[in-house]
Amino acid sequence: MGEGDMWAPQGGIAPAAEVLARANLTPIRLGAKEGLAMINGTQLIASLGAEAVERAGRAARLADYIAALSLEVLCGTNRAFDPLIHCVRPHSGQMESAARVRSVLMPTAPSELCMSHPKQVQDAYSLRCVPQVHGITQDTIEFVRRILNTELNSATDNPMVFTQEQVDASESLRTSDGDRIACKDAPGGNGRKGDGQDIKAADASPPPATANAGAKPVDPLEAANRKIAALER
């Protein structure tokens, strides 16, 4: 923005205006509320969280690959990663981790090192329980990812500005006691309540279970199997 001091690869710390001029860069001119978004509210926090969750996801994937190579070099057995074992305890992260290890040890044919000792019963916990340990990490990362995805696609301004048409539509969605609103059906709604400025829904209890009675429930095992199939292609 051309104010204060900043660090440059050549010359170190210097006045920002000079550094930008040497690099033929024009200072950014912030628009309404852009400066506020950089120092206050959820935007900056959410962006940092998004970067963190992406890095965590990458680290989790690498951990599975490292575990697979460790198992192979230690001449471990790949039986603990059989999909049947994990389908009867279908935590999605666990199944995904096991599938990722299998993709390394058995891309087209089983690892020769792993098959060189067929009579071995089982390995140490640190090898055979990789999916169970890594899986909960994967589940946690996915949970955080879902929260951030909702937050990054939400409106958190104050005040919230709506058109009269949206206000009229929201009135028709209120329940008889007037303290709940079906956000997912509101114009521009995404199924998530906002900060609740001038809307009582922020403190309301969840809508009745019959509101989405026609919706088909998501089968977590089916979703995990689809993810595993994609990994093993």
Side-chain angles (χ1 to χ4, degrees), residues 28-45:
I28 296 172
R29 297 183 65 85
L30 297 177
K33 293 196 173 184
E34 288 182 341
L36 183 65
M38 296 174 67
I39 61 174
N40 188 32
T42 64
Q43 291 81 9
L44 181 60
I45 297 171

Side-chain angles (χ1 to χ4, degrees), residues 14-226:
E18 295 179 10
V19 174
L20 293 175
R22 288 200 300 266
N24 295 319
L25 295 174
T26 303
I28 296 172
R29 297 183 65 85
L30 297 177
K33 293 196 173 184
E34 288 182 341
L36 183 65
M38 296 174 67
I39 61 174
N40 188 32
T42 64
Q43 291 81 9
L44 181 60
I45 297 171
S47 65
L48 293 174
E51 180 185 17
V53 81
E54 284 302 311
R55 289 186 176 187
R58 187 179 305 173
R61 292 190 296 273
L62 290 175
D64 286 336
Y65 296 137
I66 292 169
L69 296 176
S70 299
L71 184 84
E72 187 171 44
V73 77
L74 292 171
C75 293
T77 176
N78 54 26
R79 292 191 186 93
F81 304 92
D82 190 292
L84 288 175
I85 294 174
H86 300 283
C87 283
V88 296
R89 193 187 187 187
H91 296 292
S92 59
Q94 175 181 325
M95 297 175 73
E96 183 176 346
S97 178
R100 193 172 287 119
V101 172
R102 288 198 306 275
S103 73
V104 176
L105 298 179
M106 298 175 280
T108 54
S111 162
E112 292 182 11
L113 284 174
C114 288
M115 298 300 292
S116 64
H117 43 284
K119 294 184 179 180
Q120 182 168 329
V121 178
Q122 64 181 16
D123 298 309
Y125 277 135
S126 57
L127 295 177
R128 74 175 188 264
C129 291
V130 162
Q132 289 84 347
V133 177
H134 289 193
I136 189 60
T137 302
Q138 186 66 41
D139 285 340
T140 303
I141 292 170
E142 289 304 314
F143 169 77
V144 176
R145 192 189 303 277
R146 288 195 301 271
I147 297 298
L148 283 168
N149 189 58
T150 299
E151 184 62 30
L152 289 169
N153 289 280
S154 297
T156 59
D157 206 355
N158 188 11
M160 302 292 281
V161 180
F162 300 97
T163 65
Q164 187 59 50
E165 180 183 4
Q166 290 173 319
V167 173
D168 292 342
S170 73
E171 290 294 334
S172 67
L173 295 171
R174 292 182 185 274
T175 59
S176 58
D177 58 2
D179 65 355
R180 289 194 293 265
I181 181 171
C183 294
K184 68 182 182 62
D185 297 321
N190 63 0
R192 178 183 183 274
K193 65 187 180 184
D195 290 337
Q197 296 92 335
D198 302 323
I199 296 179
K200 294 180 181 179
D203 299 321
S205 56
T210 55
N212 293 316
K216 182 180 179 181
V218 177
D219 184 347
L221 179 57
E222 181 182 345
N225 284 333
R226 286 198 301 268

Side-chain angles (χ1 to χ4, degrees), residues 2-21:
E3 301 291 337
D5 296 331
M6 66 181 294
W7 179 87
Q10 295 81 27
I13 297 176
E18 295 179 10
V19 174
L20 293 175

